[in-house]
């Protein structure tokens, strides 16, 4: 019975299985994301004159103790009112109002706050491409008792992790043999 067709069929099935299970080795890239918060500092002073929209007169009750001099002092007194408005954790705004002769004379606003600006930096680092490699070596063939063949050879590994082999061997009876081979990387992890 001739076993050569069965050996060829088994060899072809093994080659097909190896070729289907082998994938191309892609370069992997690593991504680093760095987030920074930068505060834009705002310090500003705005001074402006205030317009009067309505005037309401409140009559002063005349008493014995009220004198013209006291009324004149109160009328000509400059009074400063200060208010602070806090804006969360960003900062605050101070408002200073000046009242003179029953009129709002000036309004000064001090802005002192920091607005957070978030910047995002994305760094993509690509993996280094694999190099081509060339190996030199050899094989020894034999059975339990005798060494039958010595075959020195070369292996070439390309960038996609495929390996090709070239052998030239000599039997001990002087016969010269040649060999070619190809190997594919098997990805066991998916």
């Amino acid at each position: 019975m001739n076993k050569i067709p069965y050996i060829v069929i088994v060899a072809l099935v093994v080659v097909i299985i190896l070729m289907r299970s082998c994938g191309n080795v892609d370069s992997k890239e690593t991504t680093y994301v760095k987030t920074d918060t930068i505060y834009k500092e705002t310090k500003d002073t705005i001074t402006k004159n205030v317009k009067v929209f309505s005037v309401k007169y409140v009559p002063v009750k005349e008493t014995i103790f009220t004198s013209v001099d006291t009324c004149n002092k109160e009328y000509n007194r400059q009074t400063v009112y200060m208010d602070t408005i806090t804006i969360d954790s960003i900062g605050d705004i101070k408002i200073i109002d000046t009242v003179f002769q029953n009129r709002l004379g000036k309004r000064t606003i001090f802005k002192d706050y920091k607005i957070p600006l978030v910047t995002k930096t994305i760094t993509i680092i690509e993996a280094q491409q694999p190099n081509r490699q060339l190996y030199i070596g050899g094989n020894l063939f034999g059975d339990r008792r005798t060494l039958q063949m010595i075959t020195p050879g070369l292996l070439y590994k390309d960038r996609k992790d495929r390996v090709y082999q070239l052998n030239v061997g000599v039997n001990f009876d002087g016969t010269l043999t040649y060999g070619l081979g190809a190997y594919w990387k098997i990805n066991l992890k998916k």
Side-chain angles (χ1 to χ4, degrees), residues 10-65:
V10 169
L12 287 174
V13 168
V14 168
V15 168
I16 290 171
I17 290 172
L18 285 175
M19 290 181 77
R20 294 190 101 213
S21 67
C22 299
N24 291 338
V25 178
D26 294 332
S27 65
K28 296 178 182 175
E29 48 186 43
T30 306
T31 303
Y32 296 106
V33 177
K34 181 181 176 185
T35 304
D36 289 336
T37 303
I38 300 169
Y39 290 94
K40 179 184 174 191
E41 198 167 330
T42 303
K43 289 190 177 188
D44 202 2
T45 303
I46 299 171
T47 303
K48 66 178 183 176
N49 292 327
V50 180
K51 293 181 182 177
V52 178
F53 289 103
S54 69
V55 176
K56 184 177 181 183
Y57 294 100
V58 178
V60 177
K61 293 182 181 179
E62 293 282 334
T63 60
I64 304 169
F65 301 108

Side-chain angles (χ1 to χ4, degrees), residues 99-146:
V99 178
F100 180 66
Q101 293 181 346
N102 290 339
R103 292 187 184 153
L104 187 58
K106 277 190 199 172
R107 172 168 279 176
T108 305
I109 300 172
F110 295 102
K111 297 178 187 176
D112 185 14
Y113 54 85
K114 296 177 183 176
I115 299 173
L117 301 172
V118 178
T119 59
K120 196 178 220 183
T121 305
I122 298 175
T123 306
I124 298 175
I125 300 173
E126 292 185 14
Q128 186 178 5
Q129 291 289 335
N131 294 329
R132 297 178 183 136
Q133 298 172 358
L134 185 64
Y135 299 93
I136 189 168
N139 296 319
L140 299 174
F141 295 101
D143 57 14
R144 292 184 191 176
R145 296 187 185 155
T146 60

